[in-house]
Amino acid sequence: MSKVTRRDAIKAVSAGVAGLPMVSMAASTRLPRASRGEIRAYQIGDQKGLDSLTLTRRPEPIPGPGQVVVKVRAAALNHRDLSILYGRYLGAKPPERIPLADGAGDVVAVGDGVTRVKVGDRVTAVPFTSWADGDFDPSVFAADLGSGHDGWLTEKALLPEAALVKLPDRLGYEDAAALSAVGVTAWSILHGFAAVKPGEVVLTLGTGGLSIMTLQLAKLAGARVAITSSSDEKLAKARELGADITVNYRTHPNWGEKILEATGGRGADVVVETVGASTLDQTFKACAPNARIGFVGSLGGGATTPPNFGPVIAKNLVIKGLTSGTRRTLERLHRAVEVSGLRPLIDKVFSFEDARAAYAYLEKGQHMGKIVIRFD
Ligand SMILES: NC(=O)c1ccc[n+]([C@@H]2O[C@H](COP(=O)([O-])OP(=O)(O)OC[C@H]3O[C@@H](n4cnc5c(N)ncnc54)[C@H](OP(=O)(O)O)[C@@H]3O)[C@@H](O)[C@H]2O)c1
C-alpha cells in the first residue's frame, strides 16, 4: 500500500473525490479512537460479505466549496447496504467507499459558499444527494450515499450542502437516521405516485424498515393497512402499530386470496412491492381494480416460473418502479413527523464499534423496522 500524505488526502477530500485514500486500516472493528486530525470510518472493502466491512483511520475531512462536515451521531441500515457488502447492488464499488445511506449529526465545518446550513445545526441528508426536487433521472445514482458517494458510517461525514435537511427540534438523531431512506421511499409511493386517499387499502409486504414505515405513513394518511409477515409475533406487533389486516405469508402461501377475503373481495388499492418477481402472482391477486403498485424491491429473488401478467390487464393495474425520492420529499416528511409526533420503529441500536454485528443482525431478518448505529 503506498503511503498517503495528509496533504494528498486533504486535496482528495477538497476535490470531492469519491473514496478518500486510506491512511491506515485494521482487519478488526476494534480500532482505537482516532488521534487529533484523524477520524475512524468504515469502508466496504472487497464486497465479498460481512467480513469485507473494515474500520479504517483517515484524515479528518475538510470541506471544499459547497461541502459540509457533519459529526455523525446516528446512522441506520437498509437492506441495500447488505447487498452492497455482497457486491450485489449496481456492480462493484471502490473498496474505500464509506457505507450507509442514512444518518444524522451536527454540522462542524462548512466550505466556501455554503448558505443552507451553519456550524451547530442538527442535520440529516436525503440519500440521493443530487436529487433535490423534480423527476427521477438515472444520474442520481452517482451521488447516492453509501453507494456512489461516501456515506454515514464514519465519525465525520463530508456531504454536499444541497443534500442536507435541518432536523425539527423534536426529532432526535436516531429517529432522524431511521427515517430518511424508508420515509422518503414510502412517502414517494403513497403521496407521490399513488396519491393515496383516506379509506383506501394499502398493502405492504414483510415487516422490514420500508414496510413498517409504509404502515405508519399510510395510517397517518387515513388508509386501511394490510401487511404480511413470516412471523405471527411480528404481525401482532404490526396490529399494535395500527395494521388492520395481517397475513402470515409462510403459513398462507396463497396470501393474495386472504387479502381479498379480508377486504370483502375488493382487494388493495395501493401496494408497496418489496418482494418482487417470486410472489407477484399473489400481489396481483391481492389487488383491487385500478390498484397502483409501487415496485421497489426484490427481497424474494427471481421467480421459478414467470408471473401471470393477465390480471394487470384484467384489473387495469398500474405498476411503477421507484427509487426512493427527493430532498423536498424528506422536508415534507419532517413536517408531517413534527405535527403528528410519528416515530420510526427502531428494533435495535448498536454501537459504532459493533457495526458489523448490526449488519449480521440485518442479515438474519429477525428485525422489525429499523436497525440503528449510535455514535458516542
Ligand atoms: N429501505 C429503503 O428505503 C428502500 C428503498 C427502496 C427500495 N427498497 C427495497 O425494499 C426492500 C425492503 O427493504 P428494507 O430496507 O425494508 O429491508 P429489510 O428491513 O431488510 O426487510 C426485511 C424483511 O422483509 C421481509 N421479507 C424478506 N423476504 C421476504 C419474502 N420472500 N417475502 C415476504 N417478505 C420478505 C421479512 O419480513 P418478515 O420477517 O416479517 O417476514 C424481512 O424481515 C428491499 O428489496 C430494498 O432493496 C428499500
Side-chain angles (χ1 to χ4, degrees), residues 78-79 181-182 185 206-210 229-230 234 249 274-275 296-300 362 365 367 369:
N78 292 286
H79 195 81
V182 289
T185 306
T207 58
L210 180 56
S229 175
S230 56
K234 289 183 179 182
Y249 64 80
T274 53
V275 179
V296 287
S298 53
L299 285 170
L362 177 69
H367 66 286

Side-chain angles (χ1 to χ4, degrees), residues 18 32 41 65 96 98 123 159 190 214 225 266 282 286 297 304 312 330 376:
E96 305 82 17
I98 299 171
V123 295
L159 300 164
L190 296 174
T214 300
V225 175
R266 188 165 177 281
Q282 293 302 315
T304 42
V312 176
L330 182 57
D376 286 336

